[in-house]
Amino acid sequence: MEATALVDALKRVLKARGLTYADIARGLGLSEASVKRIFSRRDFTLERVDEICLIAGVDFAELARSASEEHAGTERLSVEQETEIVSDPRLLLVALCAVNNWTLDEIIRTYDLTRAECTRCLARLDRLRIIELSPGDRIRPLVSRTFSWRPGGPIQRFFHARIEAEYLGSRFDRPDELFLFTSGMLSHTSSAELVTRLRRVARDFAEQHREDLGLPLAQRFGTS
């Protein structure tokens, strides 16, 4: 299990219990800025994790189990799974919502789907082992925090053919939008370093997505 998975699990626990960095700072006898820096850099000793667990009232073993379960999810679907998803536009829509932690009620309030149609799609995703559908229509994605669609796979090809041109045709001129395309000459070492940084940004994006799950759907919007 990665240390980052443990830290991510700890952040989820703090958010679920309504604890802020200021609360943790008071408990540790540190400044709030110091605590923010520790979390930002993921600069934790096991002793420090234990101290924060004590403040949060969570057992370290429980935290480690949560981190392990989150980290152990599916990294990538098979070609067969993606092929079935992309064969049905409704199934694809529900899959995209489900792996992004939407509830069934949120899906049917937002899109032109009946509850029965949505439930059938969720049942198919459950059989494909992409989600786990529990009593009460609770959805648990079975994908990891680093999940991504297959490079060059059925779903990526679908987006290239149907959606990419429309997406890139946007002016990207709103305050919360940014489009950059830069070119230059780099060494293999520098290129590899930039790729590592971009992967880190992708992990931060996924973490921000998880942190915002507690907000009402009306306060969140699709971001790529």
Side-chain angles (χ1 to χ4, degrees), residues 104-144:
L104 185 148
D105 287 336
E106 287 172 338
I107 296 172
I108 62 177
R109 280 201 305 266
T110 305
Y111 297 104
D112 185 21
L113 288 172
T114 66
R115 178 173 289 272
E117 288 173 329
C118 191
T119 300
R120 282 196 294 271
C121 288
L122 291 171
R124 287 176 67 183
L125 295 173
D126 181 275
R127 288 195 297 272
L128 288 168
R129 304 309 297 150
I130 295 168
I131 66 163
E132 183 177 82
L133 186 61
S134 303
D137 295 321
R138 292 192 302 273
I139 304 167
R140 184 171 76 90
L142 298 179
V143 296
S144 78

Side-chain angles (χ1 to χ4, degrees), residues 68-79:
S68 179
E69 289 174 353
E70 173 74 13
H71 184 67
T74 299
E75 295 279 347
R76 189 165 290 164
L77 302 184
S78 68
V79 172

Side-chain angles (χ1 to χ4, degrees), residues 13-138:
V13 167
L14 297 182
K15 183 163 187 175
R17 301 192 178 196
L19 293 170
T20 65
Y21 288 149
D23 296 325
I24 300 303
R26 282 192 294 271
L28 295 176
L30 298 173
S31 69
E32 184 177 354
S34 296
V35 172
K36 286 182 178 179
R37 188 161 51 249
I38 289 172
F39 274 90
S40 174
R41 296 176 178 175
R42 291 177 164 82
D43 185 19
F44 287 83
T45 62
L46 285 177
E47 181 181 2
R48 183 67 79 196
V49 173
D50 270 334
E51 290 173 342
I52 297 175
C53 282
L54 184 61
I55 295 168
V58 62
D59 182 69
F60 180 83
E62 178 186 345
L63 180 72
R65 184 167 54 253
S66 173
S68 179
E69 289 174 353
E70 173 74 13
H71 184 67
T74 299
E75 295 279 347
R76 189 165 290 164
L77 302 184
S78 68
V79 172
E80 292 74 21
Q81 287 172 310
E82 287 200 2
T83 298
E84 179 165 349
I85 289 174
V86 83
S87 69
D88 181 342
R90 281 187 169 81
L91 183 63
L92 175 59
L93 171 64
V94 174
L96 291 172
C97 293
V99 299
N100 280 291
N101 300 95
W102 288 40
T103 66
L104 185 148
D105 287 336
E106 287 172 338
I107 296 172
I108 62 177
R109 280 201 305 266
T110 305
Y111 297 104
D112 185 21
L113 288 172
T114 66
R115 178 173 289 272
E117 288 173 329
C118 191
T119 300
R120 282 196 294 271
C121 288
L122 291 171
R124 287 176 67 183
L125 295 173
D126 181 275
R127 288 195 297 272
L128 288 168
R129 304 309 297 150
I130 295 168
I131 66 163
E132 183 177 82
L133 186 61
S134 303
D137 295 321
R138 292 192 302 273

Side-chain angles (χ1 to χ4, degrees), residues 113-219:
L113 288 172
T114 66
R115 178 173 289 272
E117 288 173 329
C118 191
T119 300
R120 282 196 294 271
C121 288
L122 291 171
R124 287 176 67 183
L125 295 173
D126 181 275
R127 288 195 297 272
L128 288 168
R129 304 309 297 150
I130 295 168
I131 66 163
E132 183 177 82
L133 186 61
S134 303
D137 295 321
R138 292 192 302 273
I139 304 167
R140 184 171 76 90
L142 298 179
V143 296
S144 78
R145 62 188 180 86
T146 55
F147 169 79
S148 61
W149 304 112
R150 299 185 70 84
I155 290 178
Q156 194 174 89
R157 292 198 302 271
F158 175 88
F159 277 90
H160 283 325
R162 307 284 186 88
I163 297 171
E164 185 178 89
E166 180 181 343
Y167 177 80
L168 294 177
S170 170
R171 295 173 61 183
F172 293 95
D173 56 357
R174 296 190 309 185
D176 57 355
E177 293 182 335
L178 176 66
F179 179 85
L180 295 174
F181 184 85
T182 59
S183 299
M185 301 288 288
L186 297 177
S187 67
H188 290 301
T189 299
S190 295
S191 181
E193 181 181 338
L194 281 175
V195 169
T196 298
R197 290 182 189 176
L198 289 171
R199 293 188 187 281
R200 190 176 303 129
V201 170
R203 289 196 298 270
D204 291 343
F205 179 94
E207 177 60 24
Q208 194 65 58
H209 163 75
R210 284 191 295 275
E211 289 185 359
D212 286 351
L213 287 176
L215 297 172
L217 186 61
Q219 296 181 27

